[in-house]
Amino acid sequence: MFTMRDFLGLFVGAAVTAACFVLLLPPAQCPWGVLPAEQELGLGNATTQAADLSTNKLDKAQAATVADEDKLEGLLRAAVMADNKTVIMTFTNKAWTAPGSLQDLFLESFRVGDGTAPLLNHLIIIAVDANAYEACQRAHPLCYHLHDSAAAYTAEQVYMAKGYLEMMWRRNRFQVRVLKLGYSFVFTDMDIIWLRNPLLRVPFGADLAMSCDAYRNGAHRPYDLDRKAANSGFIYVRASDRMLEFYESWYAARVKYPGTNEQYVFDREKYVLPGRHGLLVQFVDTAYLSGFCELSKDFNKVCTVHANCLVGLKDKLEKLTQVLAEWKQFRANTTGQLTG
């Protein structure tokens, strides 16, 4: 027979066992969701809200990127030369778009050049700040606002200073975007006036053709890259997979030459990188793509004049204004009967 002591011992043992079992169970979810106190404090869905907010921000950023790429591609389609899927591009900032500044002179040169006015239909002006974008829209129908950097280079950038170098490599990266969309391009600095169509002087077989500061020994050895100092202020680039690979190698090579611009790196790598990627690279004679480093005033030949080897916006503007005035006088004297 069980005594009362035996019965109590059995009951206490069972109770302890049950208590241990309950403690080992995972915490139960409240059957009706968030407790009132938690709901009041916003604790129950804080994590979900944070995740949703992060996702929304990501979705908006992705949507903005897609919209921006669509806008760029729309401009490229509007500007393209139908026969060869090529566009003309230039970069500008607030300092270069002020009234009476380089943008006005640049666009005027197309209008008074020999057969260059129709090329404005193929020109996209890329503005690196909001002020320049607004100024572009007042002057030209094909404008693009580059949003891909936190920095806005509104002021004049001193040659080889930090801001200048950043903008040059930023320009290089933008050119890659255009190539990825399948478009060939002519890139021109805005401190270049166009007097004739320079595309007529680009070597037919070239994958990449560039202006140069000096074209020594060029008349006898036009395919020789030696003794020709690269100037990327004017560059023609034919779109291809090989060209994209070349651009990536070009950009990667900058680490070998710290504190330099893309033009300097190109000039140092011109004997190696083009051959590695199977590209034909040529420089264009300064008789056609001229500049103040090696100035040609033969208006029967010259296509463009670049304000290279000049320091400062003021000096560039003055010298190019003088050249354009001489060109207008030349055209008046020849009554428009110019040789190509």
Side-chain angles (χ1 to χ4, degrees):
M1 297 291 295
F2 288 108
T3 64
M4 181 61 69
R5 179 177 298 178
D6 293 332
F7 179 79
L8 288 175
L10 180 64
F11 178 79
V12 170
V16 171
T17 301
C20 291
F21 177 77
V22 169
L23 289 174
L24 290 174
L25 287 175
Q29 297 295 320
C30 180
W32 52 83
V34 181
L35 292 174
E38 290 178 329
Q39 194 172 37
E40 184 178 347
L41 293 174
L43 298 177
N45 60 354
T47 302
T48 303
Q49 287 177 339
D52 289 345
L53 183 60
S54 177
T55 301
N56 287 338
K57 285 183 177 179
L58 183 60
D59 289 344
K60 287 179 180 179
Q62 289 174 337
T65 299
V66 170
D68 186 62
E69 204 70 5
D70 288 344
K71 181 176 182 180
L72 174 59
E73 189 160 16
L75 283 170
L76 292 168
R77 284 197 302 268
V80 72
M81 300 176 191
D83 56 337
N84 56 12
K85 206 176 181 183
T86 301
V87 298
I88 304 169
M89 305 186 300
T90 189
F91 260 46
T92 192
N93 68 354
K94 179 182 177 181
W96 289 41
T97 56
S101 191
L102 280 173
Q103 179 172 276
D104 289 345
L105 190 68
F106 175 74
L107 293 174
E108 183 188 2
S109 74
F110 280 84
R111 299 185 187 107
V112 302
D114 183 19
T116 50
L119 296 176
L120 287 171
N121 297 324
H122 308 293
L123 170 68
I124 301 174
I125 299 178
I126 297 98
V128 298
D129 61 80
N131 296 99
Y133 182 60
E134 291 174 6
C136 176
Q137 289 181 304
R138 291 191 294 268
H140 187 65
L142 299 171
C143 304
Y144 176 74
H145 188 185
L146 185 60
H147 291 285
D148 67 350
S149 174
Y153 304 101
T154 58
E156 179 184 356
Q157 299 300 316
V158 179
Y159 182 69
M160 297 306 287
K162 182 176 182 291
Y164 170 87
L165 295 175
E166 289 174 351
M167 195 159 72
M168 293 302 100
W169 284 112
R170 185 182 182 191
R171 190 172 78 179
N172 180 276
R173 293 291 85 194
F174 179 80
Q175 292 171 357
V176 170
R177 286 178 60 189
V178 174
L179 288 172
K180 285 181 177 178
L181 291 171
Y183 291 85
S184 303
F185 62 83
V186 172
F187 179 85
T188 172
D189 277 347
M190 191 167 271
D191 62 340
I192 295 178
I193 55 175
W194 285 46
L195 307 178
R196 283 191 181 83
N197 184 355
L199 287 173
L200 300 177
R201 297 299 178 182
V202 170
F204 179 78
D207 295 295
L208 185 153
M210 186 181 288
S211 61
C212 53
D213 290 334
Y215 194 76
R216 301 181 185 93
N217 203 30
H220 303 291
R221 302 173 67 181
Y223 301 103
D224 190 355
L225 301 181
D226 199 18
R227 303 185 69 190
K228 299 175 180 69
N231 188 307
S232 59
F234 181 100
I235 181 172
Y236 164 76
V237 177
R238 190 192 305 274
S240 68
D241 291 339
R242 290 177 293 116
M243 185 61 71
L244 273 171
E245 293 169 359
F246 168 80
Y247 257 81
E248 293 305 327
S249 296
W250 183 3
Y251 186 72
R254 78 195 189 285
V255 298
K256 295 163 59 177
Y257 312 96
T260 60
N261 60 4
E262 89 296 357
Q263 174 179 293
Y264 181 92
V265 173
F266 180 93
D267 207 44
R268 294 300 179 276
E269 296 291 324
K270 64 187 177 184
Y271 302 106
V272 178
L273 293 185
R276 180 185 301 170
H277 297 286
L279 300 177
L280 176 61
V281 170
Q282 289 185 249
F283 291 110
V284 181
D285 195 335
T286 51
Y288 305 112
L289 303 187
S290 188
F292 285 87
C293 295
E294 194 170 275
L295 186 61
S296 168
K297 285 197 175 184
D298 185 352
F299 281 141
N300 288 298
K301 290 184 176 181
V302 70
C303 298
T304 63
V305 180
H306 188 185
N308 54 6
C309 291
L310 297 175
V311 179
L313 179 57
K314 183 175 181 292
D315 198 24
K316 289 174 180 287
L317 189 58
E318 287 179 356
K319 294 294 196 303
L320 288 178
T321 300
Q322 291 172 10
V323 172
L324 195 59
E326 292 176 18
W327 167 259
K328 292 176 182 177
Q329 186 61 49
F330 171 77
R331 292 211 72 182
N333 291 342
T334 55
T335 63
Q337 300 301 312
L338 305 178
T339 60

